[in-house]
Amino acid sequence: MDIRTSLLLLVAGVAGGIINALAGGATLITFPAMLTAGLPAVIANASNAVAISPGHLIAALADRGKLPPATRRTISFMAVSTLGGAVGAGVLLLLPERLFVLPVPALIAFATLLFAFAPQIQGWTIARRKTATLPPNGASSAVLGLACVYGGFFGAGLGVILTAVLSITEPNDIRAIKALKNLLATCVSLAATLIFVFQGAVRWPETATMLLGAMAGGYAGGYLIRILPGPVVRQFVIVAGAVMTVIYAARYWC
Amino acid sequence: MTRSASATTWTYRRADRDDIVELASWRGAGSLGLRPHFHDESQIVVVLSGSRAFRIDGATVTVPAGHAALIPAGMLHAPVPTPDDETVCLNAYVPASRASSSLSILRIGARWRNADEISPDHIREIADDTLSRERSPSARLIDRSELGIALTASVEPIGAIAAGFGRSREGFSRMVRRELGVAPHAFRLLARLNHARQLLRAGEPIAAVAADTGFSDQSHLTRLFRRTFGTTPGVYWRD
């Protein structure tokens, strides 16, 4: 790895850490950085997931006071998330390189749209919850499981999806939902990370460099939150995601 | 730059098959950085442990363990040294009869530990896999080969060839650099080195090869051959 590549990964990691601390959506920056560093797409995706995974963990720990009690429902949700994340990671590793490369632009576009419409999605789910009764346990778990399969597979925008799903299925206030979301995202990311590591799908020099940057960025994010407003960061992520969609569509589809 | 004789080099062997021109294997700490070059054949790089990295078209491409890459014939690539403790790698050179225009990477998993375990049939399989996703070659590629042929078919000065394309010498150099990745003279040198490699493979003595391909003497050929292909003509010839 040359100096330029190391610097790129470090800077992308710092940016990703800050973005995840303030708005979410780091993968839209960090995954393309892994690709630019020259890694094959599947390895880049797995390495990226490992490099930014500590962020979820820290977020979950930071808000642990709001974590739901360990009811049967919570524990079954954690189990479903872990299983979903593992399945998603397994599917990624089973997929031939060229079959993963094709949907990459669509995955980036999908995640970008999720971020762009996150407020609308959230507004809609909350409005829906007031009118409808809570769905049964089985249905909630199935939807949650599907979301977590996506999370283990690609992961960008998982937070938005989880918040939306939990807003419908859980009767709690938004802060508790966010805390539960962080907990479940951690389960997904831990399961996927373990599979990636043990299947040898992680390139450590690149991953370690980005991870270092991401931790510094996450730490800095706590201070920057006063001077960098979240909405601005969110708009930056949406623009970056749109640009990445165009770049990778041109590269893989044309 | 001098390198001790014991420094690791590429070990070449023939495959004695029509569909594989030759094989080259590497085992040792991160492989050598070499000068940018291309081959007349398509190169399949199979990495069993460690990693390989190349500079291609201004970008770095990493081939991690458990992956194979196909570098099409004529594509300029510069191997970059990698920091791994042990890299095990097999290069297979296959005839470029089947069109391929872009670099492709394929996951092969941990099927092999040793380069010797990879049979010619496995290489065929990998080649088929990487080529099956190929799109038809672009019009630009035809431009490239036209340029390459013009540069190597004659020993005319670059200025005369430039005139044939209706360009100034500088304008022509820029076009060659853009399309082929190296300056006209460097491209010619690489083509001569490839020709030398082909003659050595056919068993022609080194001194004769050096003379036939326009190198001033055997040591001149040896120096450039090693910086470009990672082994000396002598070792290559004996293998």
Side-chain angles (χ1 to χ4, degrees), chain B residues 3 18 21 56 58 63 72-73 104 111 118 124 130 142 164 169-170 174 193 199 201 203 210 226 237:
Chain B
R3 199 182 277 280
D18 287 344
V21 176
I56 296 175
V63 189
S104 50
R111 286 161 71 183
I118 305 176
R124 238 196 114 99
T130 46
I142 294 155
R169 199 186 179 292
E170 288 69 30
R174 267 200 303 278
L193 284 167
L199 294 176
R201 201 185 301 137
R226 170 141 84 175
W237 188 75

Side-chain angles (χ1 to χ4, degrees), chain B residues 15-67:
Chain B
D16 293 321
R17 279 169 68 118
D18 287 344
D19 54 359
I20 300 172
V21 176
E22 65 187 348
L23 299 163
S25 54
W26 173 280
R27 176 185 281 274
S31 67
L32 297 175
L34 296 173
R35 288 190 165 188
H37 62 268
F38 57 82
H39 305 280
D40 294 335
E41 304 84 26
S42 293
Q43 179 182 352
I44 297 170
V45 181
V46 184
V47 183
L48 302 184
S49 72
S51 65
R52 300 283 320 276
F54 303 90
R55 290 292 294 175
I56 296 175
D57 243 348
T60 304
V61 175
T62 303
V63 189
H67 284 72

Side-chain angles (χ1 to χ4, degrees), chain A residues 2-230:
Chain A
D2 53 34
I3 302 283
R4 265 180 28 208
T5 308
S6 311
L7 219 59
L8 167 83
L9 291 171
L10 196 70
V11 170
V14 171
I18 294 174
I19 287 169
N20 263 355
L22 299 190
T27 292
L28 295 177
I29 310 283
T30 52
F31 172 60
M34 283 288 192
L35 288 176
T36 308
L39 297 187
V42 169
I43 300 294
N45 189 21
S47 302
N48 173 64
V50 175
I52 61 168
S53 61
H56 298 291
L57 190 66
I58 290 167
L61 288 177
D63 228 5
R64 62 183 175 279
K66 271 284 178 180
L67 279 179
T71 57
R72 266 188 66 189
R73 190 172 168 88
T74 311
I75 289 170
S76 77
F77 275 11
M78 285 175 71
V80 165
S81 305
T82 308
L83 190 71
V87 169
V91 169
L92 175 74
L93 294 187
L94 287 175
L95 217 56
E97 187 77 20
R98 62 171 172 274
L99 288 187
F100 177 65
V101 159
L102 282 178
V104 157
L107 287 169
I108 297 177
F110 173 66
T112 307
L113 287 175
L114 277 178
F115 281 108
F117 291 105
Q120 283 85 346
I121 294 172
Q122 196 163 320
W124 179 75
T125 49
I126 289 171
R128 190 172 176 270
R129 194 179 63 190
K130 282 180 187 143
T131 57
T133 48
L134 288 181
N137 224 331
S140 306
S141 297
V143 175
L144 182 70
L146 275 181
C148 293
V149 170
Y150 166 78
F153 183 77
F154 187 65
L158 177 65
V160 177
I161 301 181
L162 283 180
T163 308
V165 171
L166 295 175
S167 299
I168 294 179
T169 62
E170 300 311 294
N172 304 319
D173 69 280
I174 190 67
R175 178 106 188 270
I177 284 172
K178 290 270 180 197
L180 180 60
K181 173 213 78 169
N182 285 331
L183 177 70
L184 298 184
T186 304
C187 293
V188 171
S189 141
L190 275 180
T193 295
L194 283 176
I195 287 183
F196 293 149
V197 169
F198 283 106
Q199 288 299 311
V202 176
R203 276 277 301 170
W204 287 109
E206 286 82 357
T207 305
T209 310
M210 184 176 276
L211 197 139
L212 209 70
M215 301 211 355
Y219 191 71
Y223 293 95
L224 288 174
I225 201 149
R226 268 163 267 154
I227 46 172
L228 263 183

